[in-house]
Amino acid sequence: MDLVIVESPAKARTISKFLGRNYLVKASMGHLVDLPKSRLGIEPENEFKAKYITIRGKGKILKELKDAGKKAKNIFLATDPDREGEAISWHLSNSLGLSSETPCRVEFHEITKLAIKNAFSNPQLLDFHKIEAQQARRILDRLVGYLISPLLWERVRKGLSAGRVQSVAVRLICDREQEIQAFVPEEYWTIEGIFQEPSGGELFEAKFFGKDKKIKLPAEAQVKEILKQLEGSSYFVKKIKVQERKRNPAPPFTTSSLQQDASTRLGFTTKRTMFLAQQLYEGIEVGPRKEATGLITYMRTDATKISPIAREEAGLYIKEKFGEHFLPQKTRNFAAPKGAQEAHEAIRPTSVLREPEQMKKFLSRDQYRLYKLIWERFIASEMAAALLEQVKVDIVADEYLFKASGSTLKFPGFTIIYGDKEDKDKEKRIPPLNEGQLVKLCSLKPEQHFTQPPARFSEASLVKTLENKEIGRPSTYSPIIETIQSRGYVLKEEKAFKPTELGFIIVDLMKQFFPEIIDIDFTAQLENKLDKVESGQYSGLRVLHDFYGPFRDRLQVAVEKMESIELEDEETGEVCPLCGKNLVKKFGRYGTFLACPGFPECRFTKQPKASTGVTCPLCQGEIVERRTKRRKIFYGCNNYPECKFVSWDKPVDKKCPQCGSFMVEKKLRGGTTLRCSNKECGFQEAQETGENQWKK
């Protein structure tokens, strides 16, 4: 009997059904061997020799694998097809005493019967370039983390850490916050005209442009002067331009684009996305016989390429389901993302015939939503482009020019399966017009605006920025985001990252004493070198030597000159019910909480309850902000549990003019709307913005 070793029990169960009785499939439960936690485990002065030990608690698993290996005819290592998977196989190979000349490595990028059969018919040697790249990265991260972190514990606060990539991520968030704080809003105005054909046709909008060149409207006085000049003017169609535009589909998912879309469309964190994707890859029991089957290809990839077999299957499906005219005229090839290694395919369903609705009954709600997203994105990528008709109209009034634009969908193409709601919202129809035609002005609507500061990073935008700047790799984004929150460097407020005081302090210290580590370009160049190590173009040892010399010198200066920083907890007006001391605000992995300063004698803690200033309609208490166990914000009465009032929407101190109930904020893509909390009433109004309006 042959022994096959994979990482997880789920993966083991799935592939064992494909391999049959002649194979014993066991799981290593991830890494069995690693650097020690209690010490550096690296000898920089001895060519960076690493000291690996069996991970605590994994000895029993390793013994079972060794015993099984002694009885096996052959041993196959079928860990994931990436650097980390290669490293796990390398450690297993060493632990089981396998020769480096033995072709024991089995790789597959989808867990299907055909893929498994092909992989086991052609086992390979271990890829030592890939192993070298993983070891170089592991040692770099260990040097930074284990040599800087103790210094931060001593000079700032215990429990802190400095990571090679996480520090750059925190810097990005801190730099963005400083931009927001330094931002000075600027006033500007727009004028929108509502027009109609003289015969009483459709209404359409046109925006004030200026004259030959666009005129900026920085103040109300200038707007009033233009409106005065336009009084009594006639409006004519000067120019009409009609053109057809193609909109091509996005490529199938890479790890990064999956994390971004799952965040924006489904509200998933990167951690949640990767957890669910791993389950879909390793196997779900589907069909009448409940056979474990991998539903998607490997989810850690930076490639957009697709296998010819998968492309052919998708083409046949699209032709049968939607018609031949929904197929592109020629095969579409997507450009690879910047810095992509393209070792694997893009993320796609293992078979397009497993439609999401057919799989729904076998999946959890979140598994289904993610699978549907992956399936639809892949099918859309193989479909024809959408065709839009764009119309641009210039309307003149004396010396002034208004511009109208609209677009209508002539052919949906891929949007029939993977369209955005915003696309439909952006569709504007311009009625049939003729050049030289007179049009009727119905109203002119000036509006005051102010420029907005850059938005804080969401998980999706942070991942996108890290990828664009080539910082880290997509497989590292999820643990990075989790770490910077757990260390208290950033908090997530309304799905956006905000740095804490501690985050700013750490970034400032890193800029002062370790500028290269926190430099965006330096980090990106280091990632590119690691990619070259994997491809055999660069030496991993050379990467380590180039890095360590300057780093060692910086570390010595930091040890001598970094001053201690006293971080005082912010005192609140709330009193500890156990000992009477004023509670202080602290930061934890789940955000801000209140604690007694008498710790450890007094261990009282509580979640802060931000006041909304709104009176509870049930008991006349105060409505405060609260959080569920999963950190989702809701609003409840401060007299809970006596009063059970709750609301998902934020109450505001304003009464409904129709029924007298309190109003709530409802956040929509187009802005914030105030709605009556009484669903039977249904009254709503736009949030007041101070904008001035005139009607003509």
Side-chain angles (χ1 to χ4, degrees):
M1 182 176 287
D2 292 338
L3 173 65
V4 180
I5 304 175
V6 297
E7 296 99 327
S8 74
K11 190 174 177 182
R13 285 194 298 269
T14 304
I15 71 170
S16 64
K17 292 182 179 180
F18 295 134
L19 292 175
R21 298 178 180 177
N22 293 327
Y23 292 85
L24 174 64
V25 186
K26 284 188 166 289
S28 69
M29 307 300 291
H31 280 278
L32 292 175
V33 174
D34 199 4
L35 298 170
K37 282 190 174 183
S38 58
R39 58 186 187 277
L40 181 63
I42 305 292
E43 298 179 25
E45 310 306 330
N46 186 21
E47 296 295 287
F48 301 95
K49 183 179 179 181
K51 174 69 174 179
Y52 289 105
I53 63 170
T54 302
I55 297 173
R56 180 175 293 180
K58 294 290 188 77
K60 183 179 178 181
I61 297 174
L62 185 57
K63 183 179 183 303
E64 289 177 358
L65 294 177
K66 285 182 176 179
D67 291 343
K70 292 175 183 176
K71 300 174 184 176
K73 181 180 178 182
N74 297 296
I75 299 176
F76 296 103
L77 307 175
T79 52
D80 287 348
D82 55 16
R83 290 179 191 170
E84 210 65 32
E86 204 72 23
I88 293 173
S89 285
W90 177 54
H91 289 309
L92 285 169
S93 173
N94 291 336
S95 299
L96 299 177
L98 300 180
S99 168
S100 60
E101 302 300 318
T102 302
C104 61
R105 184 72 170 104
V106 176
E107 278 194 13
F108 38 83
H109 303 103
E110 59 182 79
I111 303 181
T112 59
K113 190 170 185 177
L114 180 62
I116 299 296
K117 182 179 178 181
N118 290 339
F120 276 87
S121 66
N122 187 31
Q124 305 290 316
L125 296 174
L126 288 170
D127 186 339
F128 282 94
H129 290 312
K130 194 178 283 187
I131 294 166
E132 186 180 4
Q134 192 274 345
Q135 295 306 291
R137 174 189 286 277
R138 186 79 180 92
I139 292 171
L140 284 171
D141 292 343
R142 175 57 68 110
L143 291 171
V144 172
Y146 272 56
L147 295 180
I148 298 180
S149 296
L151 188 60
L152 296 179
W153 301 346
E154 180 185 336
R155 309 295 165 89
V156 184
R157 178 187 288 174
K158 287 185 178 180
L160 301 182
S161 69
R164 186 179 58 84
V165 179
Q166 78 179 46
S167 298
V168 181
V170 178
R171 176 186 179 161
L172 288 171
I173 295 169
C174 289
D175 288 351
R176 176 63 58 86
E177 192 68 20
Q178 289 175 334
E179 287 181 56
I180 294 170
Q181 293 171 356
F183 182 81
V184 179
E186 293 183 7
E187 180 184 7
Y188 72 97
W189 289 71
T190 59
I191 304 173
E192 185 181 87
I194 305 297
F195 296 93
Q196 185 181 35
E197 293 176 278
S199 58
E202 300 175 44
L203 297 176
F204 65 96
E205 300 173 358
K207 295 186 182 296
F208 176 80
F209 180 78
K211 297 182 180 179
D212 295 332
K213 294 183 179 179
K214 186 173 179 63
I215 295 176
K216 293 183 178 180
L217 305 175
E220 184 179 358
Q222 187 180 6
V223 173
K224 287 185 174 180
E225 180 61 31
I226 291 172
L227 291 175
K228 186 177 180 181
Q229 294 176 27
L230 287 170
E231 287 181 1
S233 298
S234 297
Y235 294 81
F236 294 90
V237 177
K238 179 182 178 182
K239 182 182 178 182
I240 299 175
K241 184 179 180 182
V242 181
Q243 61 181 9
E244 190 176 83
R245 184 175 71 86
K246 281 186 177 183
R247 184 180 162 216
N248 288 310
F253 282 129
T254 61
T255 303
S256 171
S257 60
L258 176 63
Q259 291 173 348
Q260 293 172 51
D261 249 34
S263 174
T264 54
R265 289 175 179 251
L266 306 179
F268 290 171
T269 62
T270 53
K271 181 181 180 180
R272 182 69 176 158
T273 299
M274 297 310 291
F275 174 74
L276 293 167
Q278 185 84 35
Q279 292 177 333
L280 295 174
Y281 164 70
E282 290 186 343
I284 303 291
E285 293 184 348
V286 301
R289 296 183 179 179
K290 294 293 185 72
E291 294 180 344
T293 304
L295 296 185
I296 65 169
T297 54
Y298 192 54
M299 64 285 162
R300 293 186 180 91
T301 177
D302 57 11
T304 55
K305 64 184 181 181
I306 295 295
S307 73
I309 295 174
R311 177 162 277 166
E312 181 181 357
E313 185 185 49
L316 292 172
Y317 177 87
I318 293 165
K319 183 178 178 180
E320 181 180 340
K321 196 80 172 179
F322 301 101
E324 194 166 356
H325 54 297
F326 276 89
L327 289 170
Q329 293 181 351
K330 60 179 182 179
T331 302
R332 185 182 290 114
N333 292 310
F334 295 98
K338 186 179 178 183
Q341 295 295 290
E342 291 207 284
H344 315 314
E345 278 188 77
I347 303 170
R348 62 167 176 80
T350 52
S351 173
V352 299
L353 302 180
R354 297 189 187 101
E355 295 174 316
E357 290 306 314
Q358 294 176 355
M359 298 295 106
K360 189 173 184 178
K361 59 186 175 184
F362 305 114
L363 304 174
S364 69
R365 179 176 180 269
D366 285 351
Q367 286 174 340
Y368 163 73
R369 294 172 71 200
L370 188 66
Y371 178 67
K372 185 172 184 283
L373 189 72
I374 294 168
W375 188 91
E376 289 179 346
R377 174 82 166 227
F378 170 62
I379 292 294
S381 72
E382 293 296 310
M383 295 180 76
L387 295 181
L388 299 97
E389 183 177 79
Q390 287 188 327
V391 180
K392 295 183 179 180
V393 180
D394 289 353
I395 297 172
V396 293
D398 297 329
E399 59 183 352
Y400 289 114
L401 177 65
F402 285 76
K403 288 182 174 287
S405 63
S407 66
T408 54
L409 192 64
K410 291 182 66 179
F411 174 66
F414 74 93
T415 63
I416 198 171
I417 199 167
Y418 197 79
D420 290 325
K421 181 181 180 296
E422 294 87 338
D423 294 336
K424 295 180 181 178
D425 294 340
K426 289 176 184 175
E427 280 188 39
K428 289 183 180 179
R429 175 177 160 77
I430 302 295
L433 299 170
N434 298 312
E435 291 186 359
Q437 176 183 353
L438 180 71
V439 291
K440 177 185 175 182
L441 174 68
C442 298
S443 67
L444 287 176
K445 186 173 67 172
E447 291 188 10
Q448 181 190 38
H449 309 273
F450 292 92
T451 54
Q452 298 296 310
R456 289 192 176 115
F457 285 108
S458 63
E459 284 208 16
S461 60
L462 181 60
V463 165
K464 185 175 183 179
T465 301
L466 291 171
E467 182 183 40
N468 289 343
K469 294 183 179 296
E470 299 184 75
I471 299 167
R473 285 297 175 260
S475 60
T476 66
Y477 296 157
S478 178
I480 288 170
I481 289 171
E482 186 178 5
T483 300
I484 63 178
Q485 291 180 88
S486 66
R487 295 289 186 268
Y489 300 152
V490 303
L491 295 175
K492 191 184 282 188
E493 293 185 358
E494 296 184 346
K495 298 185 179 181
F497 292 117
K498 182 180 179 180
T500 62
E501 179 189 3
L502 179 61
F504 277 118
I505 289 172
I506 295 301
V507 168
D508 288 342
L509 288 174
M510 293 294 288
K511 284 181 179 178
Q512 181 180 354
F513 293 103
F514 303 98
E516 292 88 359
I517 289 176
I518 206 164
D519 181 75
I520 294 169
D521 291 335
F522 177 83
T523 305
Q525 290 168 8
L526 201 54
E527 291 293 346
N528 290 329
K529 286 182 179 179
L530 290 172
D531 289 341
K532 289 182 178 179
V533 172
E534 181 175 343
S535 61
Q537 303 172 42
Y538 214 85
S539 163
L541 199 57
R542 181 181 169 188
V543 172
L544 295 173
H545 278 298
D546 290 346
F547 172 83
Y548 185 69
F551 171 71
R552 179 186 52 202
D553 297 339
R554 294 277 190 193
L555 184 65
Q556 184 61 40
V557 172
V559 169
E560 295 172 0
K561 297 186 177 181
M562 186 183 290
E563 297 180 356
S564 297
I565 297 174
E566 189 69 30
L567 277 174
E568 295 185 2
D569 293 320
E570 180 183 344
E571 190 173 289
T572 69
E574 293 194 52
V575 176
C576 175
L578 300 183
C579 69
K581 295 179 180 178
N582 281 351
L583 299 177
V584 296
K585 187 183 291 186
K586 289 184 173 290
F587 296 103
R589 66 178 301 172
Y590 297 117
T592 307
F593 68 98
L594 303 182
C596 181
F599 180 87
E601 290 77 16
C602 181
R603 295 176 174 269
F604 178 79
T605 62
K606 65 179 288 189
Q607 291 297 321
K609 299 173 183 177
S611 172
T612 64
V614 180
T615 301
C616 175
L618 300 184
C619 72
Q620 303 306 304
E622 185 182 12
I623 297 176
V624 295
E625 180 183 298
R626 305 174 70 94
R627 290 178 183 267
T628 67
K629 290 182 179 180
R630 293 192 174 184
R631 314 304 300 160
K632 185 176 181 180
I633 293 175
F634 72 100
Y635 301 89
C637 182
N638 67 340
N639 289 330
Y640 178 85
E642 288 77 17
C643 179
K644 304 291 186 181
F645 172 84
V646 291
S647 171
W648 287 114
D649 300 316
K650 183 179 181 181
V652 296
D653 192 15
K654 184 175 183 177
K655 300 292 184 182
C656 172
Q658 289 187 179
C659 71
S661 299
F662 66 90
M663 303 284 282
V664 296
E665 283 186 1
K666 194 72 176 178
K667 292 189 177 181
L668 306 171
R669 292 187 182 273
T672 302
T673 298
L674 295 183
R675 289 183 180 176
C676 180
S677 58
N678 180 3
K679 293 182 180 180
E680 294 180 1
C681 173
F683 176 80
Q684 69 178 43
E685 65 179 35
Q687 188 74 285
E688 292 182 6
T689 60
E691 295 174 351
N692 297 317
Q693 299 181 1
W694 291 274
K695 295 259 184 176
K696 186 177 175 72

